[in-house]
């Protein structure tokens, strides 16, 4: 099963990072729309309860977190590359900055501005994920002027990261840095009444936005959650176990382990048997009565692994 199946929902900004990467590479993929807020009864049997969005499914291999999803997309479809620049490490560091301080500032401004109109369960879920279990929406509202200043300053940095005279962050053609910057600007444009004006206040960024907007999402076709779950159950994991590298925790292949994102966002742990572990990714194998035998993959950076 080599078909790419993305579990996502249309307004999801992190899903947009993957969708635009599909467009950059011009690939075909299947689209499964999931609820914006858990539970997700058709997806959780495959992920073991991982609650963040999006998730990439290839048969019975499940890839969590956009950092790993983009890496897997690059591995399977190396041309055109997401790394046309000569310093991929800086691209990954750039992405971590966008996903961290820059995106948190954007979320604070979006949620704080729209506080009166947000569904309570959605607001509570997102505030906990991005600002911790003790954070409150009313605190974001009270600090909104400062959050706006923080966002504007970081947008200036973002424009300064766009090479003068270049069409894209990666130079003459788009790549992973562009996907990272795009989803942030796309999120602001779609979720804040002044979002497009915030982007357009930076001329090079505004011109780049129009070029990115024309790329699209590749070739998308719908798939139901029921069909995706059935495909998983009818498949066997295709990713080959690479073994477990030496690690400070002394973990070995076959150990019972649990994984969750770092931070205090209230994420549940995903439990399984350790299949492979290195500096880039970790993979657990699980058995579920609905999904069958599944291998769930995570990036190593940004995730806590325990026996």
């Amino acid at each position: 099963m080599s078909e790419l199946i993305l579990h996502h929902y249309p307004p999801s900004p992190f899903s947009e990072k993957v969708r635009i990467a599909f467009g950059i590479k011009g690939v075909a993929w299947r689209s499964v729309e999931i609820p914006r807020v858990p539970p997700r009864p058709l997806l959780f049997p495959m992920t073991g309860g991982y609650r963040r969005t999006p998730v990439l499914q290839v048969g019975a291999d499940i890839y969590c977190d956009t950092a790993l999803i983009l890496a897997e997309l690059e591995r399977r479809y190396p041309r055109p590359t997401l790394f046309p620049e000569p310093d991929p490490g800086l691209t990954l560091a750039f992405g971590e900055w966008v996903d961290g301080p820059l995106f948190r500032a954007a979320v604070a401004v979006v949620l704080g501005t729209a506080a009166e109109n947000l569904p309570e369960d959605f607001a509570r879920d997102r505030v906990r994920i991005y600002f911790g279990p003790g954070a409150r929406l009313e605190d974001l509202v009270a600090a909104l002027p400062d959050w706006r200043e923080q966002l504007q300053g970081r947008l200036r940095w973002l424009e300064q990261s766009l090479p003068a005279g270049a069409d894209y962050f990666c130079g003459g053609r788009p790549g992973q840095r562009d996907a990272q910057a795009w989803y942030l600007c796309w999120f602001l444009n779609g979720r804040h009444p002044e979002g497009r004006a915030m982007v357009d206040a930076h001329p090079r960024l505004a011109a780049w936005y129009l070029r990115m907007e024309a790329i699209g999402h590749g070739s998308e076709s719908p798939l139901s959650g029921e069909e995706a779950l059935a495909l998983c159950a009818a498949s066997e994991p295709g990713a080959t176990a690479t073994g477990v590298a030496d690690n400070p925790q002394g973990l070995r292949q076959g150990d019972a382990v649990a994984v969750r994102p770092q931070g205090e966002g209230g994420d549940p742990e995903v439990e399984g048997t350790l299949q492979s572990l290195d500096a880039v990714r970790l993979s657990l194998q699980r058995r579920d009565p609905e999904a069958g035998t599944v291998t769930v993959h995570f990036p190593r950076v940004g995730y806590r692994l325990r026996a």
Side-chain angles (χ1 to χ4, degrees):
M1 286 289 180
S2 59
E3 194 170 45
L4 302 177
I5 302 171
L6 189 69
H7 298 258
H8 66 126
Y9 56 89
S12 164
F14 283 90
S15 298
E16 180 63 17
K17 186 197 306 184
V18 177
R19 293 186 298 246
I20 195 71
F22 288 158
I24 291 170
K25 287 190 173 288
V27 300
W29 56 286
R30 307 299 302 272
S31 170
V32 178
E33 188 168 337
I34 61 175
R36 294 175 67 177
V37 177
R40 297 175 178 129
L42 296 174
L43 180 59
F44 282 179
M46 292 185 275
T47 65
Y50 177 77
R51 55 88 58 231
R52 301 201 177 190
T53 306
V55 167
L56 179 69
Q57 174 191 353
V58 184
D61 285 283
I62 308 298
Y63 299 90
C64 300
D65 195 288
T66 56
L68 184 59
I69 291 172
L70 293 185
E72 185 64 17
L73 182 62
E74 179 75 0
R75 187 186 73 82
R76 291 174 180 269
Y77 300 91
R79 295 290 179 269
T81 181
L82 291 175
F83 296 93
E85 72 287 355
D87 47 4
L90 286 179
T91 294
L92 299 177
F94 175 82
E96 191 166 67
W97 171 69
V98 174
D99 289 352
L102 180 49
F103 186 67
R104 264 197 313 276
V107 168
V109 170
V110 167
L111 294 182
T113 302
E116 293 183 357
N117 300 315
L118 290 174
E120 184 178 346
D121 60 341
F122 177 83
R124 183 171 56 250
D125 183 70
R126 294 319 193 256
V127 170
R128 185 187 69 246
I129 287 176
Y130 295 114
F131 303 98
R136 303 181 305 165
L137 183 58
E138 50 264 42
D139 295 333
L140 296 183
V141 174
L144 191 54
D146 183 61
W147 278 116
R148 286 182 64 96
E149 288 291 336
Q150 296 297 319
L151 176 59
Q152 289 169 357
R154 289 184 169 94
L155 285 174
R156 283 193 292 271
W157 290 0
L158 188 63
E159 179 172 63
Q160 290 167 1
S161 302
L162 184 59
D167 285 343
Y168 301 101
F169 279 84
C170 298
R173 49 196 173 96
Q176 187 154 318
R177 289 187 202 179
D178 297 279
Q180 292 278 0
W182 164 257
Y183 94 85
L184 185 282
C185 295
W186 175 90
F187 172 68
L188 280 175
N189 181 36
R191 302 291 286 278
H192 192 281
E194 300 172 20
R196 187 58 179 266
M198 291 179 187
V199 174
D200 287 347
H202 307 279
R204 295 209 313 270
L205 209 56
W208 163 86
Y209 189 98
L210 293 175
R211 286 190 287 272
M212 291 296 294
E213 201 170 32
I215 290 174
H217 293 154
S219 179
E220 173 186 357
S221 59
L223 188 72
S224 72
E226 291 85 356
E227 289 173 313
L229 183 56
L231 281 169
C232 182
S235 306
E236 291 293 331
T240 303
T242 56
V244 173
D246 289 339
N247 59 89
Q249 294 167 283
L251 296 171
R252 298 178 181 274
Q253 192 174 45
D255 284 351
V257 294
V259 180
R260 70 173 177 85
Q262 288 182 328
E264 302 300 328
D267 294 86
E269 290 184 319
V270 177
E271 298 179 345
T273 301
L274 186 61
Q275 182 185 47
S276 59
L277 172 67
D278 58 29
V280 176
R281 73 170 66 187
L282 60 96
S283 302
L284 313 183
Q285 193 160 93
R286 304 181 58 259
R287 177 74 189 174
D288 182 272
E290 294 181 86
T293 300
V294 182
T295 299
V296 189
H297 307 271
F298 301 89
R300 186 65 189 96
V301 173
Y303 282 78
R304 290 181 180 174
L305 175 64
R306 69 165 184 85

